[in-house]
Amino acid sequence: MAGNKPGKPKSKRTPVRLRHKIEKASAAKQKKARKQAKGNPEWRSRLKKDPGIPNLFPYKDKILAEIEEGRRRKAEEAAKRRADAKATKTGEQVEKEVEARMEGVDEEDIIDEEMDEEMDEDANPMAALLASARAAAQEYENDLESGDEMDEDDASDSGSDEGGVELSGLPTKKDGSRKAFDKVFKQVVDQADVVLYVLDARDPEGTRSKEVERMVMAAASGGKRLILILNKIDLIPAPVLKAWLTHLRRYFPTLPLRASGPAPNAHTFNHKQLTVQSTSATLFKALKSFAAAKQLKRAISVGVIGYPNVGKSSVINALTSRLGGVGAACPVGAEAGVTTSLREVKIDSKLKLLDSPGIVFPSTVTDGSKASKTEEQARLVLLNAVPPKQIEDPVPAVTLLLKRLSASQDMLNKLLDVYGLPPLLTSNGDATTDFLVQVARKRGRLGKGGIPNIASAATTVITDWRDGRIQGWMDAPILAVAPATAAGIDTRKTPVVGDQKEIVTEWAAEFKLEGLWGSGEVAEVDEEMQG
């Protein structure tokens, strides 16, 4: 009987049953670990960490150097692509970038830097790109100055009756862009046969400039036609709309218009048949009637002017959409400054539209003092003529808004209802500060330690006012009717003052505005705006 020899190693073979038992135990342990890991709040990456190059690898330094060189080369290529993209931008953008980089640098330092860049062009290609950008900006500025000088010479030689009307762009725009906007505006007025002056129905007089009306009337020896477009009529009630139509039709033919739909959660008024489709169709028929009456061999040009964000581009889009257009012909936005250049939209062979950037027209109220400038800036903010990013201090605009709404207890109560606030404390302290503190608490505009952020709350109020969530409007002034103009006087050369029924009647006949909410009678307006 053979037995095991002394010192013979034991076999490591295990039964299949025991091997499966070990595998099951291992799987159960891993499953339990995964379940516990899910309940662990500590975040762990699923990616395995790169162990890197072993220290004992003989070529480790060389490989690390190649990796670093590749990163540096990739960063240089990205910087070069960004510089090329900036160099291909418009001259205005390049000018801004160069001015931002050159702040606080003297002319002698600039000359020294340019000399150094010429010497190191081969060593540093970024220097050559920066030099070319500066040269392009300087050339663009020279072109602007030469163009302005030519315009001034033309204006002085023509001897027109414009009286040196000076327009201004947005308050914080630089001189170059402001001059460019002015040139585009004058170009629109010169090219247009009919000028549509778009006004905000909540404050028509605030978005209207009589100097510009005189300039349009004097252009082409009085051969141009001016129509006032009262936009955003869904933000004012029917009696206020009727009063403004009656007042504005003393001066020029006026049409109500809803160029676009309201903003989300906006408080609007339903004027029944005065819809986006019906009002745009009315304006389109009037323009087509004028084009047919003129019988010109060319297309009639219709220029659209007005303050920023009054809805000039929306007016054009409303006219083109009724023809079956799918996309918007002009870009629009809730903020001011969307349209920055002249844009021509052809409707058909007899009609084309000219869209212009928003211009802040001259105001005759300001006297140059600091308080007056602050009030004028607040007025422009309430007119949505200043982009939110360019508003330095929104609190004065809220103060002016409260002052206007406080004239009517009904409108003030509606303002408080928007934010769910109690009556304001007007006896002691500042009512504006009290209002903004409550708005900041209601809307969560709080800083560290729960301190109300007044500026953020003021921006919220201005945004709600812009989008129509806050109801408010200016009432039409009540003026005495002036006597009719004598038959022998040319009404086109008279200043735009008083009651000009002859101009309104004559131009209304050219555009066939009778029965299209365009006549001086308000009977039809009453029927369509009741309720």
Side-chain angles (χ1 to χ4, degrees):
M1 184 174 175
N4 291 335
K5 293 182 180 181
K8 185 178 179 181
K10 190 177 180 180
S11 176
K12 295 182 179 179
R13 296 179 63 183
T14 57
V16 177
R17 178 182 57 81
L18 182 59
R19 189 167 64 244
H20 283 297
K21 181 179 178 182
I22 295 174
E23 290 177 356
K24 288 182 180 179
S26 176
K29 183 178 180 181
Q30 293 178 7
K31 182 178 179 181
K32 184 177 180 181
R34 287 195 300 269
K35 187 175 181 181
Q36 291 178 351
K38 289 182 179 179
N40 188 4
E42 182 181 356
W43 181 86
R44 292 178 181 176
S45 175
R46 291 175 177 265
L47 301 177
K48 293 184 178 181
K49 185 178 180 181
D50 185 10
I53 303 173
N55 292 330
L56 297 178
F57 191 74
Y59 304 106
K60 179 177 180 179
D61 295 339
K62 184 178 179 180
I63 293 177
L64 291 178
E66 290 177 355
I67 294 175
E68 188 65 26
E69 179 66 19
R71 290 177 181 173
R72 187 186 62 81
R73 194 183 307 112
K74 191 175 294 185
E76 286 184 357
E77 291 176 357
K80 185 178 179 180
R81 285 195 299 269
R82 287 195 296 268
D84 292 341
K86 289 181 180 180
T88 56
K89 288 181 181 178
T90 61
E92 177 186 351
Q93 293 171 328
V94 173
E95 176 189 1
K96 292 180 180 179
E97 293 168 3
V98 174
E99 287 182 357
R101 295 181 181 180
M102 298 294 292
E103 279 187 5
V105 181
D106 298 333
E107 294 183 359
E108 297 179 358
D109 297 338
I110 296 173
I111 296 174
D112 294 340
E113 288 179 4
E114 291 177 351
M115 292 177 63
D116 295 338
E117 288 165 0
E118 292 175 359
M119 296 173 63
D120 298 338
E121 273 186 2
D122 297 334
N124 187 7
M126 290 297 297
L129 288 173
L130 184 57
S132 63
R134 288 174 180 165
Q138 185 64 28
E139 182 180 355
Y140 177 76
E141 187 176 354
N142 294 337
D143 292 342
L144 274 180
E145 291 178 356
S146 61
D148 294 336
E149 291 175 359
M150 293 176 62
D151 291 342
E152 292 175 1
D153 295 340
D154 295 341
S156 60
D157 295 338
S158 61
S160 62
D161 298 332
E162 295 180 7
V165 176
E166 181 183 355
L167 307 176
S168 59
L170 297 178
T172 54
K173 287 285 184 183
K174 294 191 176 181
D175 292 340
S177 59
R178 181 186 63 80
K179 293 177 182 178
F181 280 14
D182 294 349
K183 290 177 65 175
V184 172
F185 171 77
K186 294 176 181 178
Q187 184 180 357
V188 170
V189 174
D190 292 339
Q191 294 181 4
D193 301 303
V194 180
V195 177
L196 302 181
Y197 198 169
V198 184
L199 307 177
D200 192 332
R202 292 178 293 179
D203 188 7
E205 285 296 335
T207 52
R208 179 187 176 197
S209 173
K210 294 186 179 180
E211 292 293 333
V212 174
E213 294 176 1
R214 291 190 181 96
M215 185 174 67
V216 174
M217 294 285 289
S221 301
K224 298 185 182 295
R225 297 294 180 262
L226 179 65
I227 298 181
L228 302 181
I229 303 298
L230 205 59
N231 195 19
K232 304 180 182 180
I233 59 174
D234 55 327
L235 299 180
I236 60 176
V240 178
L241 175 58
K242 184 183 72 172
W244 274 115
L245 290 175
T246 303
H247 172 73
L248 294 175
R249 282 169 183 161
R250 294 172 177 264
Y251 305 93
F252 297 99
T254 306
L255 286 178
L257 182 69
R258 283 187 61 184
S260 61
N265 300 325
H267 298 282
T268 59
F269 295 90
N270 184 15
H271 296 317
K272 290 190 175 181
Q273 296 185 10
L274 295 182
T275 62
V276 177
Q277 292 77 12
S278 62
T279 53
S280 60
T282 299
L283 178 59
F284 182 78
K285 290 178 183 178
L287 296 177
K288 292 293 290 184
S289 300
F290 180 79
K294 286 295 181 181
Q295 296 182 350
L296 299 178
K297 295 183 179 179
R298 59 175 178 84
I300 296 294
S301 297
V302 180
V304 184
I305 63 173
Y307 269 69
N309 205 33
V310 294
K312 300 181 296 298
S313 299
S314 298
V315 170
I316 295 179
N317 291 337
L319 292 175
T320 55
S321 62
R322 69 170 305 280
L323 299 177
V326 179
C330 298
V332 295
E335 298 181 1
V338 176
T339 304
T340 58
S341 60
L342 177 64
R343 186 183 300 270
E344 180 176 321
V345 179
K346 188 173 182 180
I347 301 295
D348 52 25
S349 60
K350 294 296 183 181
L351 189 63
K352 67 178 181 180
L353 305 175
L354 301 175
D355 191 10
S356 63
I359 302 293
V360 177
F361 299 113
S363 175
T364 57
V365 180
T366 57
D367 55 1
S369 62
K370 185 176 180 180
S372 180
K373 290 181 179 179
T374 303
E375 186 176 354
E376 177 66 14
Q377 179 73 7
R379 186 184 71 87
L380 294 178
V381 170
L382 290 184
L383 292 176
N384 309 320
V386 183
K389 295 181 180 179
Q390 297 181 8
I391 300 177
E392 297 178 358
D393 186 9
V395 176
V398 178
T399 303
L400 181 59
L401 178 62
L402 289 176
K403 180 180 177 182
R404 291 181 178 180
L405 298 182
S406 298
S408 172
Q409 188 63 35
D410 185 28
M411 285 193 289
L412 184 59
N413 292 336
K414 290 181 179 180
L415 171 65
L416 299 178
D417 291 341
V418 171
Y419 301 102
L421 304 181
L424 300 179
L425 300 176
T426 56
S427 58
N428 296 326
D430 186 8
T432 304
T433 304
D434 179 39
F435 171 71
L436 292 178
V437 167
Q438 296 188 55
V439 171
R441 290 173 178 170
K442 284 286 186 179
R443 293 295 177 90
R445 300 295 189 265
L446 304 175
K448 292 183 179 180
I451 299 176
N453 191 337
I454 301 299
S456 179
T459 304
T460 301
V461 174
I462 293 173
T463 303
D464 292 340
W465 165 258
R466 179 194 67 193
D467 295 338
R469 300 184 188 96
I470 298 176
Q471 291 185 357
W473 53 82
M474 300 295 291
D475 293 326
I478 301 176
L479 301 177
V481 179
T485 310
I489 299 178
D490 187 2
T491 58
R492 295 177 299 181
K493 296 183 180 179
T494 57
V496 188
V497 293
D499 199 3
Q500 297 189 352
K501 288 188 177 180
E502 291 190 6
I503 291 181
V504 175
T505 304
E506 177 185 351
W507 290 4
E510 292 180 352
F511 289 95
K512 295 183 179 180
L513 297 182
E514 291 79 3
L516 297 176
W517 312 310
S519 61
E521 301 175 0
V522 295
E524 296 188 17
V525 179
D526 285 334
E527 293 178 1
E528 302 195 12
M529 294 191 304
Q530 290 298 328

